[in-house]
Amino acid sequence: MSLIGQDPKDAIIARFARHVSSGKAEFFAQAGIDLVFGRREGVYIWDVEGRQRLIDCHCNGGVFNLGHRHPRIVAALKAALDELDIGNHHFISEHRALLGERLAALSPGDLNRVILGVSGGEAIDMAIKLARAHTRRPGVISARGGYHGHTGLALAAGEPYYREPFGPLAPGFTQVPFGDLEALEAALGEDTAAVLFETVPATLGIAIAPEGYFAGVRALCDRYGAVMIADEVQTGLGRCGAMWGVDTYGVVPDILVAGKGLSGGIYPMTATLYREHLDPFMRANPFIHVSTFGGAEVGCYVALEVLDILAEPGFLDHVQEMAELFRVGLAQLKEEHPALLVEVRQRGLMMGLKMASPACGPLLTLAGLRHGVLTIYANHDQSVSQLLPPLVIQEDEVAQVLEALDAMLAWVEKAAS
Ligand SMILES: Cc1ncc(COP(=O)(O)O)c(C=O)c1O
């Protein structure tokens, strides 16, 4: 018997509203969105009733970099379950060691050491903890409108809306405009432990840093003795056409945080990678950070398969080729819809469509549901629609997305007029 669609959609939504989130159920009802995920395979997801099929260009921020239920990832989990379980994080583990070694091999510079976790927020918390412990300073500078998760320190680095109801939070956090080196320098001081940025802030609207920005951030961190943390939860693992987004800028951060895609969409896994000079603190305090399910051994096996796929010759070339098809196609769409589509932002397959007003992002999401593309607007700049297709998307599917986008933009033009 299938696990999907055992009850009518109305009954599923009512049960969700009763026991999981009445607020979400109300929000989606008001927005006119009744999508409930059903079957999912490759680049596609289906509504639970099986009638509507969408190309997933949201990918949950990169969780589905390899598409849905990649056969090699599913097989890896099945194989892992024949012999392994979560393991015991207190002890030495063959599988955590293998994953650590592999991540280090795929990372630039001496980002050789890894703390494994379950969620991106937890991995960011760990990065901030390590920066503070290493520098013995409290200050953390992040970008206004950025996003690092909803756990303690990650939350404190994020937007007021998400953190204010939960105060008092940890002190020492400052936000600066992304892309502005002068503002960063003005905020830096002798009490700054860390500078934390997403390589491409997604929630801010796929903001692309100006030329030289990250090299400048690196230099400022060095000058002030601050730890540079790159949040690569979305931009890492091939999304930008390189293993890590920072690779495309030729910069090595002191700490790099990976999440989402490391799961293969199948088993949660995150990593806080850090450079050798930060190791003395962890070496002296090996039991100071604990995560029972962090680096679960079955998950390590899955993550190793994810990395094997990404590291195969030609994989990143494929991402770049698909990105180029999008670049050409989106430029054409911009010419065809000049009043609506005001800017295309792109780093590999991390793309954002900046439209004329904040009403347009939500409208484009609605249009996508009608035209077979799942795409979601950026929460902190709703004029931008995020476009993150699976990295395994093929040429004909890119053409389908571009064709659908043409119709979607036309729909928004009509709806907004
Ligand atoms: C850039 C970035 N950092 C951190 C996080 C937090 O990850 P998680 O939801 O796994 O805690 C997210 C999640 O969307 C993210 O996009």
Side-chain angles (χ1 to χ4, degrees):
M1 194 186 74
S2 171
L3 300 178
I4 293 169
Q6 296 180 29
D7 286 311
K9 191 198 262 192
D10 284 358
I12 298 172
I13 294 174
R15 185 180 292 136
F16 184 91
R18 248 189 339 267
H19 299 294
V20 183
S21 174
S22 53
K24 272 191 194 174
E26 260 167 43
F27 171 85
F28 284 116
Q30 270 168 18
I33 296 174
D34 70 348
L35 176 69
V36 175
F37 275 47
R39 194 182 143 212
R40 66 260 358 224
E41 211 73 57
V43 301
Y44 294 106
I45 57 149
W46 283 258
D47 182 58
V48 70
E49 289 173 329
R51 284 198 286 269
Q52 196 183 12
R53 186 180 80 158
L54 304 165
I55 295 187
D56 190 353
C57 286
H58 176 235
C59 280
N60 206 350
V63 170
F64 300 111
N65 275 349
L66 299 179
H68 291 270
R69 302 177 40 72
H70 191 293
R72 281 178 57 183
I73 301 300
V74 172
L77 182 62
K78 285 182 176 165
L81 290 172
D82 282 341
E83 287 192 72
L84 302 173
D85 55 18
I86 278 168
N88 184 329
H89 68 292
H90 293 291
F91 293 91
I92 289 171
S93 153
E94 176 179 3
H95 296 89
R96 279 190 208 123
L98 284 170
L99 180 56
E101 179 182 60
R102 192 93 174 94
L103 279 165
L106 293 170
S107 300
D110 61 343
L111 282 162
N112 286 337
R113 302 199 170 260
V114 182
I115 299 165
L116 299 169
V118 179
S119 77
E122 171 193 341
I124 292 286
D125 277 6
M126 185 60 234
I128 295 172
K129 280 163 68 173
L130 182 52
R132 281 182 162 179
H134 173 77
T135 58
R136 297 254 144 237
R137 302 171 177 182
V140 178
I141 301 172
S142 58
R144 207 165 290 148
Y147 183 79
H148 303 286
H150 282 173
T151 49
L153 299 173
L155 182 67
E159 284 305 273
Y161 168 77
Y162 298 113
R163 60 179 142 88
E164 270 168 3
F166 307 116
L169 298 175
F173 287 76
T174 312
Q175 289 183 295
V176 295
F178 181 73
D180 182 341
L181 281 177
E182 271 179 35
L184 176 61
E185 178 150 28
L188 272 157
E190 281 182 359
D191 66 346
T192 308
V195 174
L196 163 66
F197 290 135
E198 293 156 87
T199 308
V200 179
T203 316
L204 185 54
I206 315 290
I208 305 294
E211 192 67 31
Y213 181 63
F214 282 110
V217 172
R218 177 69 275 177
L220 284 173
C221 285
D222 289 341
R223 189 174 324 147
Y224 287 86
V227 172
M228 178 178 175
I229 305 174
D231 180 341
E232 291 262 346
V233 168
Q234 292 211 26
T235 47
L237 301 166
R239 172 59 57 189
C240 297
M243 188 54 67
W244 306 110
V246 284
D247 294 342
T248 70
Y249 291 103
V251 166
V252 183
D254 299 307
I255 304 182
L256 184 156
V257 177
K260 294 197 186 271
L262 196 54
S263 68
I266 291 285
Y267 202 98
M269 182 63 66
T270 61
T272 305
L273 280 134
Y274 63 94
R275 293 176 58 190
E276 289 293 337
H277 67 280
L278 298 175
D279 198 48
F281 175 80
M282 292 310 294
R283 189 181 176 132
N285 301 280
F287 297 100
I288 205 161
H289 175 80
V290 165
S291 173
T292 298
F293 302 120
E297 293 195 341
V298 283
C300 288
Y301 197 78
V302 167
L304 280 163
E305 190 68 11
V306 170
L307 296 177
D308 277 353
I309 294 172
L310 295 181
E312 265 171 15
F315 188 93
L316 294 174
D317 295 338
H318 172 79
V319 175
Q320 287 167 17
E321 282 158 23
M322 296 304 106
E324 178 59 15
L325 293 178
F326 270 110
R327 190 190 65 74
V328 173
L330 292 173
Q332 200 166 335
L333 287 178
K334 187 166 172 287
E335 269 178 32
E336 281 159 23
H337 303 271
L340 176 61
L341 183 52
V342 294
E343 189 188 338
V344 175
R345 299 173 177 171
Q346 183 175 14
R347 199 97 190 157
L349 284 178
M350 181 121 193
M351 297 173 284
L353 307 181
K354 167 96 178 156
M355 289 171 286
S357 80
C360 297
L363 283 174
L364 200 77
T365 297
L366 278 179
L369 297 175
R370 285 169 169 75
H371 290 95
V373 172
L374 182 64
T375 168
I376 298 196
Y377 53 89
N379 225 11
H380 302 159
D381 181 355
Q382 300 196 355
S383 65
V384 178
S385 197
Q386 303 173 336
L387 197 61
L388 276 75
L391 308 183
V392 294
I393 196 167
Q394 298 298 315
E395 196 170 336
D396 57 325
E397 293 155 344
V398 174
Q400 276 180 57
V401 173
L402 289 167
E403 201 183 313
L405 276 172
D406 193 16
M408 288 156 64
L409 290 164
W411 189 88
V412 173
E413 275 159 352
K414 247 198 208 148
S417 67

